[in-house]
Amino acid sequence: MREARTVPDFASWRARALELLSAQAPPENVLWVEEASEGEERLLPGLAASEPAPDSVTQSEDPRPRVPARFVALAKKVSVHRDAARWSILYCVLWRLTHGERGLLSRELDPDLRRLELMSRQIDRDVHKMHAFVRFRKVIDDEGERFVAWYRPDHRILRVAAPFFRDRFASMRWSILTPDESAHWDGAALRFDGGLPRSAAPREDEMEGLWRAYYASIFNPARVNQRAQRAEMPLRFWNEMPETRAIPQLLAAASDRVGGMIRDQQAAPSAAPFLPPESSRDVVSLEAAARSCRGCDLWEPATQTVFGRGRASARLVLVGEQPGDEEDRRGEPFVGPAGKVLDRALTQAGIPREEIYVTNAVKHFKYIERGVRRIHNTPRQIEILACRPWLEAELQAIQPEVVVCLGASAAKALLSPTFTMRASRGRFFDSPSGPRKMATWHPSAVLRAGDQAASDALFADLVADLKTAAAAASESAAPSRPLPGLGERGG
Ligand code: URA
């Protein structure tokens, strides 16, 4: 048995593997031993200047056999996984590729390949998670403002994930610290250093945690008493956070949820990193960006993102819960059975659907498989919160006069986590700056009502509430804008 020592990076493994290959050492005679890397200076996958062209594990003048580029890419990817077995599996696959099994990579059921592919998917997930979960905190150093985040990824992915932050936050100076290594961006170059413990990062302030948790979940500027809130909120936070006006009221409204939300916050998934830059947030570019949202786990089993549809300058916006089975397949909101009820209700309320904008609080279909059927599965609060940046951006882009939440899930997302239909259906939640908001029955409640009479009653409520909302949307529009119907704003 031969021992092969490698530090945890692709270049080191490749050097050992090539030695073993030229010594004709079969995988079953090799014991791979992973050693701790030597801290800051180690070469990491994909970035080391001395690496060969990506389509080979060998230099081009090297007489040894070449391997498919896909294997090299896979090997680089899984080299950052923490499973110590990756080195021996990689060597085994390399050996087989160069010993008569050139077509091995197309054998999807091969156990070695399956294991590598699984690791590869775990790396992708970890990178997506890191993009979504990293939270920067502002500090002042010798050169001015720097944003610092501490994060513990499952795998050694910092160098894979860092370019995303470089591109997204190109004009900020930032550092991301992880236990394995740290990345630093100074506006021009990305530099990597040794790992750092959590204690090296600026400490999270409790009020900042409260703010983020509350703002992310229940921001509702409707009932704001600024003087009272200023009295409760330390000024240093007030100045840094534009949304602070809402905090104390929101805290009061949901104080029993504070502890849990703060605990959740560090790990809270979010669509925020996937939004386009603020300067280009019209509904078209939002929809395009949302197609590749990985802000929470719901994207994976879903067919596609189902973004809002309708008039980009609508006065009235309807917000449902999440797309259903048919919406998921067709990529449009409210086109399945609930959509047909909605269409009927809109017609009776005299609201042309093409004049309004219809969207959902959650943009991916969440379901449970039962045989061939996919059954709607109510999104969790954390998923609604993760998706909220899309909804906020849609409303910001459209600037409607009135928003109607269809069903309690949407109402909890937009109005208050404690919202109940019984207490507040059809009532306006007014805001001095944002749109007026109200909630009504979800069209699928009409479909699920126990009997015809109950169904008719819910449908009548739905129509009446939609009429009220449409009238309010017309009334509150600026007098300079003509108001026949709902659709005079162009777009
Ligand atoms: N239910 C919803 O809440 N939204 C849809 O788009 C379809 C069904």
Side-chain angles (χ1 to χ4, degrees):
M1 184 65 73
R2 265 176 103 130
E3 212 172 72
R5 296 186 165 269
T6 180
V7 296
D9 73 56
F10 174 73
S12 168
W13 170 81
R14 183 187 55 203
R16 295 294 85 68
L18 290 178
E19 284 165 18
L20 292 166
L21 212 53
S22 65
Q24 285 297 316
E28 57 276 18
N29 290 352
V30 179
L31 178 67
W32 284 88
V33 178
E34 185 172 292
E35 297 178 317
S37 61
E38 292 190 4
E40 305 172 9
E41 293 306 319
R42 67 178 186 264
L43 295 174
L44 276 112
L47 295 175
S50 60
E51 284 186 10
D55 62 342
S56 171
V57 287
T58 66
Q59 304 289 355
S60 54
E61 69 275 13
D62 195 299
R64 285 171 291 189
R66 296 168 71 85
V67 295
R70 201 182 128 212
F71 172 70
V72 180
L74 185 62
K76 281 183 177 174
K77 172 99 78 81
V78 305
S79 69
V80 299
H81 201 283
R82 288 200 200 272
D83 187 339
R86 66 200 184 286
W87 305 126
S88 57
I89 301 170
L90 283 171
Y91 183 61
C92 187
V93 171
L94 175 62
W95 177 269
R96 292 171 65 193
L97 284 169
T98 52
H99 288 77
E101 292 189 66
R102 280 203 68 79
L104 174 61
L105 296 189
S106 54
R107 299 213 326 247
E108 285 169 12
L109 296 180
D110 182 88
D112 288 336
L113 275 182
R114 284 177 66 139
R115 184 110 178 248
L116 293 180
E117 291 293 352
L118 176 66
M119 288 186 209
S120 163
R121 284 199 300 278
Q122 287 166 338
I123 295 299
D124 285 341
R125 263 186 110 68
D126 206 25
V127 172
H128 286 312
K129 262 170 30 192
M130 182 160 184
H131 289 164
F133 296 169
V134 159
R135 298 283 180 274
F136 289 100
R137 204 145 291 126
K138 188 162 74 175
V139 297
I140 305 294
D141 65 15
D142 294 347
E143 294 162 54
E145 230 174 45
R146 174 173 285 277
F147 293 83
V148 180
W150 189 88
Y151 185 80
R152 185 196 292 278
D154 292 340
H155 303 285
R156 297 168 172 270
I157 54 162
L158 181 61
R159 294 197 184 218
V160 185
F164 168 90
F165 296 102
R166 176 199 59 205
D167 297 344
R168 181 133 294 216
F169 303 119
S171 59
M172 285 163 43
R173 294 168 62 242
W174 56 256
S175 296
I176 300 176
L177 319 178
T178 79
D180 302 308
E181 58 178 344
S182 51
H184 309 277
W185 171 252
D186 60 6
L190 201 49
R191 186 170 60 77
F192 293 91
D193 247 326
L196 285 164
R198 183 191 284 270
S199 56
R203 279 193 40 217
E204 180 173 7
D205 186 290
E206 192 186 348
M207 285 311 291
E208 186 189 346
L210 283 177
W211 167 74
R212 288 190 287 111
Y214 271 93
Y215 175 63
S217 66
I218 53 173
F219 175 52
N220 172 12
R223 289 155 290 170
V224 170
N225 176 341
Q226 291 196 21
R227 204 163 345 127
Q229 289 168 6
R230 278 179 192 277
E232 289 181 57
M233 176 60 61
L235 209 56
R236 64 204 166 99
F237 288 112
W238 190 276
N239 291 340
E240 279 183 19
M241 302 184 293
E243 299 84 354
T244 45
R245 283 177 300 162
I247 294 172
Q249 193 121 1
L250 296 172
L251 289 178
S255 56
D256 55 337
R257 301 176 61 239
V258 175
M261 292 176 76
I262 291 170
R263 279 194 300 282
D264 287 350
Q265 189 58 33
Q266 263 318 104
S270 173
F274 299 90
L275 263 68
E278 273 187 46
S279 53
S280 55
R281 289 197 188 162
D282 55 82
V283 282
V284 175
S285 42
L286 286 170
E287 174 170 16
R291 276 183 221 134
S292 44
C293 183
R294 305 286 184 262
C296 74
D297 290 344
L298 295 186
W299 69 273
E300 207 166 4
T303 308
Q304 57 192 313
T305 305
V306 180
F307 208 69
R309 275 293 159 91
R311 200 171 177 98
S313 57
R315 287 180 191 154
L316 179 61
V317 168
L318 307 187
V319 182
E321 181 197 66
Q322 63 152 351
D325 182 71
E326 197 160 336
E327 286 80 12
D328 171 74
R329 293 177 205 282
R330 288 173 53 185
E332 287 183 48
F334 283 102
V335 289
K340 294 201 170 50
V341 175
L342 179 63
D343 284 343
R344 208 153 44 85
L346 287 170
T347 304
Q348 289 205 15
I351 304 169
R353 182 155 171 174
E354 64 277 12
E355 299 288 0
I356 63 171
Y357 185 88
V358 180
T359 190
N360 284 299
V362 170
K363 310 289 193 238
H364 283 110
F365 178 36
K366 181 175 180 184
Y367 59 92
I368 303 168
E369 274 175 321
R370 294 255 167 78
V372 291
R373 294 183 62 213
R374 303 189 304 167
I375 313 288
H376 166 278
N377 187 6
T378 304
R380 291 184 301 143
Q381 185 71 5
I382 200 163
E383 290 151 350
I384 295 174
L385 295 182
C387 214
R388 195 181 160 109
W390 292 119
L391 183 55
E392 281 169 1
E394 281 174 298
L395 296 180
Q396 189 61 34
I398 295 166
Q399 298 276 322
E401 309 293 344
V402 174
V403 176
V404 177
C405 305
L406 300 173
S409 289
K412 282 183 176 157
L414 266 180
L415 297 176
S416 156
T418 56
F419 177 91
T420 62
M421 277 292 169
R422 198 144 42 93
S424 304
R425 198 210 94 240
R427 280 181 31 202
F428 277 112
F429 288 67
D430 284 346
S431 155
S433 50
R436 306 184 76 190
K437 294 181 188 138
M438 71 138 79
T440 186
W441 301 116
H442 193 286
S444 61
V446 175
L447 292 172
R448 285 198 309 262
D451 54 46
Q452 193 57 47
S455 169
D456 290 348
L458 293 180
F459 185 75
D461 285 347
L462 176 60
V463 172
D465 291 341
L466 288 172
K467 268 189 192 160
T468 308
S474 295
E475 269 163 28
S476 49
S480 57
R481 289 192 303 227
L483 293 176
L486 286 168
E488 292 299 308
R489 285 205 285 172

